[in-house]
């Protein structure tokens, strides 16, 4: 791939498309989790169909191993993977899987049974694979761009939960008294989610790579040795433009141009300089240099997923809100998680200290006794307040870690570190989901 070095010597004073890029990143973040959050939010429907199968816990436990195993493979091969194909594959798989969930329910007329449940589990496994493709690919890609992009993407991830919760409450209220109203609301809900996934495919394929600011950062990353951005640069026309500039030269200028390239190749000093410029830290070196950040993300999501959503659906008892109670708790968590992801935009209250992040992360484990005693002795008001704080701390710390950690590295290293961070996040999710089962040990319904 030919890159015009003159375009990457210094940062332009004005990078056009920044706010458009932030909007697109937000929508792409929304699409990265809207399918899975749809599954979590329609949990009341699946508890009606499969009351003995612990849907919120089992489906989450199916999802996470596939996401984690796929992510391990992708991290190992990160430097050689075409980021454009990776992300488009993930969004396409999300779209097809969400549509398949809708078709399955229509084909079985909303019937329960083990066969239908196994089919849903297979679709959830596909969600896990798609998540590893998209989330790791997007975080890695955005890690070498401006921090506002990755913050917007992370806000979009949280917005998917808030939006699905809001839509679920609306559809439940609209169809509650209708014949088979719960299922009708779920069908409308899944159709909207399918549309969002299709929109993400279009935005990533045709809009995002052509934004001037995105082309600048990807060109800069390519100059620093990144091979993962080649297809995105080609989609933006950068490779073609460089090739055309060479082809338009006269025969004499081509000869001179070729001679200069030959001199550069034969020059030992130039080769050494280029090799040094393109050197990057290995994944192992990045891992040990950022082990505290990686541990932060792991512990954040171990704690969160040990409570959300299984504990909220099955261990909070019956209250005045009745069948609305779990949905309200899920909605409150998602809303405050979304709000918290915008707080780090205020630099004065953004936590950047490595020690501070670790202390804040470890202090969240006080939530475990708090949730236990609140579920046993407290009323629904205290539980709603506790869930809101859980969402606030989850969103705030996630954005702080993922925006601070990549700073100071070259483009290829930032991409690799972004993938490592997502790997630890998914490992935390999987561990949290497994630990969530501890809440019902000794329960007669276990």
């Amino acid at each position: 791939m030919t890159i015009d070095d003159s375009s990457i010597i210094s940062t332009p004073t004005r990078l056009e498309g920044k706010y458009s890029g932030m909007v697109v990143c937000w929508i792409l973040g929304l699409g990265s989790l809207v399918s899975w959050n749809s599954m979590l939010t329609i949990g009341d429907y699946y508890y009606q169909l499969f009351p003995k199968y612990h849907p919120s816990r089992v489906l989450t436990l199916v999802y996470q191993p596939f996401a984690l195993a796929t992510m391990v493979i992708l991290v190992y091969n990160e430097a050689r993977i075409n980021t454009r194909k990776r992300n488009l594959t993930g969004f396409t798989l999300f779209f097809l899987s969400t549509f398949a969930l809708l078709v399955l329910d229509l084909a079985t007329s909303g019937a329960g049974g083990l066969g239908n449940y196994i089919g849903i589990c297979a679709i959830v496994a596909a969600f896990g694979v798609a998540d590893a493709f998209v989330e790791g690919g997007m975080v890695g890609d955005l890690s070498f761009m401006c921090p506002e992009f990755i913050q917007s993407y992370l806000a979009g991830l949280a917005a998917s939960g808030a939006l699905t919760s809001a839509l679920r409450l609306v559809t439940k209220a609209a169809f509650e008294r209708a014949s088979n109203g719960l299922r009708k609301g779920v069908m409308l809900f899944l159709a909207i989610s399918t549309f969002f996934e299709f929109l993400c495919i279009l935005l990533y394929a045709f809009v995002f790579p052509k934004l001037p600011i995105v082309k600048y950062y990807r060109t800069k990353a390519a100059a620093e040795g990144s091979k993962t951005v080649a297809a995105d640069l080609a989609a933006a026309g950068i490779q073609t433009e460089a090739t055309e500039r060479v082809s338009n030269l006269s025969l004499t200028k081509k000869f001179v141009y070729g001679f200069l390239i030959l001199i550069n190749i034969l020059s030992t000093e130039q080769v050494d300089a280029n090799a040094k410029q393109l050197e990057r830290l290995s994944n192992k070196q990045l891992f040990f240099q950022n082990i505290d950040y990686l541990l932060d993300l792991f512990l954040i999501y171990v704690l969160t997923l040990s409570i959300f959503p299984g504990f909220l659906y099955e261990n909070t008892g019956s209250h005045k809100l009745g069948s609305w109670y779990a949905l309200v708790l899920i909605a409150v968590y998602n809303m405050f998680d979304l709000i918290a992801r915008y707080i780090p935009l205020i630099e004065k209250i953004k936590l950047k200290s490595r020690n501070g992040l670790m202390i804040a992360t470890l202090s969240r484990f006080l939530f475990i006794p708090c949730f236990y005693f609140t579920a046993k002795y407290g009323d629904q008001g205290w539980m709603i307040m506790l869930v809101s704080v859980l969402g606030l701390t989850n969103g705030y710390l996630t954005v702080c870690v993922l925006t601070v950690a990549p700073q100071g590295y070259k483009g290829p290293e930032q991409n690799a570190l972004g993938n490592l961070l997502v790997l630890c996040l998914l490992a935390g999710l999987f561990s949290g989901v497994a630990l969530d089962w501890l809440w019902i040990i000794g329960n007669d319904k276990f």
Side-chain angles (χ1 to χ4, degrees), residues 16 23 35 43 69-70 76 80 161 189 201 223 226 236 239 295 315 319 361 366 376 418 420 446:
E16 297 181 355
V23 172
S35 293
T70 305
Y76 182 78
R80 300 184 295 274
F189 189 74
I201 296 172
S226 177
Q239 185 178 8
L295 187 60
N315 295 88
H319 296 273
T361 299
L366 293 172
K376 194 170 184 178
L420 285 171
F446 180 71

Side-chain angles (χ1 to χ4, degrees), residues 312-331:
L312 301 184
Y313 268 111
E314 297 187 13
N315 295 88
T316 51
S318 300
H319 296 273
K320 295 178 182 178
L321 289 172
S323 63
W324 288 79
Y325 186 50
L327 293 180
V328 169
L329 291 178
I330 299 295

Side-chain angles (χ1 to χ4, degrees), residues 167-235:
L167 285 173
R168 186 70 193 97
L169 293 173
V170 170
T171 54
K172 182 176 175 64
F175 293 100
E176 188 174 27
R177 297 184 180 180
S179 175
N180 206 11
L182 183 60
R183 179 169 176 260
K184 290 178 180 177
V186 168
M187 293 299 98
L188 176 61
F189 189 74
L190 291 176
I192 295 172
S193 298
T194 304
F195 166 76
F196 275 117
E197 296 298 352
F198 184 68
L199 177 62
C200 287
I201 296 172
L202 298 179
L203 287 175
Y204 188 82
F206 302 109
V207 177
F208 191 62
K210 296 183 180 179
L211 295 174
I213 187 171
V214 174
K215 289 193 285 186
Y216 163 74
Y217 280 115
R218 284 177 171 162
T219 303
K220 182 175 180 291
E224 293 172 341
S226 177
K227 299 178 181 178
T228 62
V229 296
D232 283 305
L233 289 173

Side-chain angles (χ1 to χ4, degrees), residues 124-324:
V124 167
F127 283 161
V129 174
D131 184 17
F133 271 82
V134 169
E135 196 168 347
M138 287 300 302
V139 170
D141 200 21
L142 299 178
S143 291
F144 57 75
M145 300 186 192
C146 57
E148 290 84 354
F149 277 10
I150 195 166
Q151 184 276 329
S152 295
Y153 177 77
L154 295 173
L157 291 176
S160 67
L163 178 63
T164 53
S165 292
L167 285 173
R168 186 70 193 97
L169 293 173
V170 170
T171 54
K172 182 176 175 64
F175 293 100
E176 188 174 27
R177 297 184 180 180
S179 175
N180 206 11
L182 183 60
R183 179 169 176 260
K184 290 178 180 177
V186 168
M187 293 299 98
L188 176 61
F189 189 74
L190 291 176
I192 295 172
S193 298
T194 304
F195 166 76
F196 275 117
E197 296 298 352
F198 184 68
L199 177 62
C200 287
I201 296 172
L202 298 179
L203 287 175
Y204 188 82
F206 302 109
V207 177
F208 191 62
K210 296 183 180 179
L211 295 174
I213 187 171
V214 174
K215 289 193 285 186
Y216 163 74
Y217 280 115
R218 284 177 171 162
T219 303
K220 182 175 180 291
E224 293 172 341
S226 177
K227 299 178 181 178
T228 62
V229 296
D232 283 305
L233 289 173
I238 291 179
Q239 185 178 8
T240 303
E241 291 170 4
T243 304
E244 286 178 353
R245 283 195 293 270
V246 175
S247 63
N248 290 333
L249 294 173
S250 66
L251 183 60
T252 303
K253 289 183 178 179
K254 285 181 180 179
F255 176 78
V256 173
Y257 185 77
F259 180 73
L260 290 174
I261 291 176
L262 180 61
I263 293 298
N264 282 336
I265 292 175
L266 295 176
S267 172
T268 304
E269 292 181 1
Q270 183 68 31
V271 171
D272 290 342
N274 288 339
K276 187 174 181 180
Q277 181 183 1
L278 298 180
E279 282 181 358
R280 52 151 284 187
L281 297 174
S282 66
N283 285 353
K284 183 179 180 180
Q285 290 172 312
L286 288 170
F287 179 88
F288 285 108
Q289 286 186 13
N290 296 276
I291 193 168
D292 55 331
Y293 289 130
L294 299 170
L295 187 60
D296 284 339
L297 275 181
F298 176 80
L299 294 176
I300 288 168
Y301 283 89
V302 164
L303 186 280
T304 298
L305 267 290
S306 67
I307 296 170
F308 176 91
F311 178 88
L312 301 184
Y313 268 111
E314 297 187 13
N315 295 88
T316 51
S318 300
H319 296 273
K320 295 178 182 178
L321 289 172
S323 63
W324 288 79

